[in-house]
Amino acid sequence: MKVPCAISPTKKSLVVLEDTDVEWTYQGITYRRTLREGYEFRPGAWLLVALFLAMIFHPLALWQASALHDYLYDEMEEDPKNAVPRVVADAAMLADDTDPYWLKTAAWGFVRLVGWAPWIGGT
C-alpha cells in the first residue's frame, strides 16, 4: 500500500497528496476505498508510542495503514449506511505488507481494544 502523504501546513495532521486507491482483506473478502487528495488525518497517540518503540528499525511504519484506518472511521461518522463494520476498518491496520508484522499486529490489537469509543461516537 502506498499512500502519498505530507505534513499539513499547520503541522497538526498529515495530508494525502493525491487520490489513492487502497485495498485490504478481512476474512477473505477484499475491500476497496479511494483516499481523496487533501484528506487530513492525525495518527493517535498510541501510534506515536508504537513508532517511538520502532524508531530505530522502522521509523515510518504504520503511517499508510493509519491513513486508511482513520478514513474508514471518518466514513462511519459521515456516511454510516455505506461504512464497513468496525472489525473491517480495524483490519486496515494490517493492510500494509511492508509494515513489520509485530508492529502492525500490536497496532491492530490496540485499535480493537480502544476503537469502540470513537466508533460509537460516529453512530
Side-chain angles (χ1 to χ4, degrees), residues 11-63:
K11 298 191 185 329
K12 293 183 178 181
S13 61
L14 294 174
V15 179
V16 175
L17 297 176
E18 60 188 52
D19 287 358
T20 306
D21 295 324
V22 294
E23 63 180 46
W24 73 106
T25 302
Y26 177 72
Q27 292 187 341
I29 300 171
T30 299
Y31 296 86
R32 292 174 181 78
R33 289 295 189 271
T34 299
L35 303 183
R36 297 287 175 206
E37 177 182 348
Y39 174 70
E40 290 190 38
F41 66 101
R42 277 196 305 198
W46 65 270
L47 179 58
L48 297 178
V49 171
L51 289 174
F52 176 75
L53 295 174
M55 185 174 5
I56 294 171
F57 301 108
H58 308 284
L60 300 177
L62 300 179
W63 291 111

Side-chain angles (χ1 to χ4, degrees), residues 3-123:
V3 180
C5 298
I7 297 171
S8 73
T10 64
K11 298 191 185 329
K12 293 183 178 181
S13 61
L14 294 174
V15 179
V16 175
L17 297 176
E18 60 188 52
D19 287 358
T20 306
D21 295 324
V22 294
E23 63 180 46
W24 73 106
T25 302
Y26 177 72
Q27 292 187 341
I29 300 171
T30 299
Y31 296 86
R32 292 174 181 78
R33 289 295 189 271
T34 299
L35 303 183
R36 297 287 175 206
E37 177 182 348
Y39 174 70
E40 290 190 38
F41 66 101
R42 277 196 305 198
W46 65 270
L47 179 58
L48 297 178
V49 171
L51 289 174
F52 176 75
L53 295 174
M55 185 174 5
I56 294 171
F57 301 108
H58 308 284
L60 300 177
L62 300 179
W63 291 111
Q64 296 181 70
S66 179
L68 173 58
H69 180 261
D70 288 5
Y71 177 86
L72 295 169
Y73 269 57
D74 287 347
E75 183 177 70
M76 176 59 186
E77 291 179 13
E78 296 166 10
D79 189 11
K81 290 181 181 177
N82 292 313
V84 297
R86 180 178 156 237
V87 68
V88 174
D90 290 347
M93 291 307 299
L94 304 169
D96 190 344
D97 291 336
T98 64
D99 285 339
Y101 178 79
W102 68 270
L103 185 58
K104 66 184 178 182
T105 302
W108 171 82
F110 189 83
V111 297
R112 291 303 301 152
L113 180 66
V114 301
W116 61 269
W119 192 266
I120 289 174
T123 59

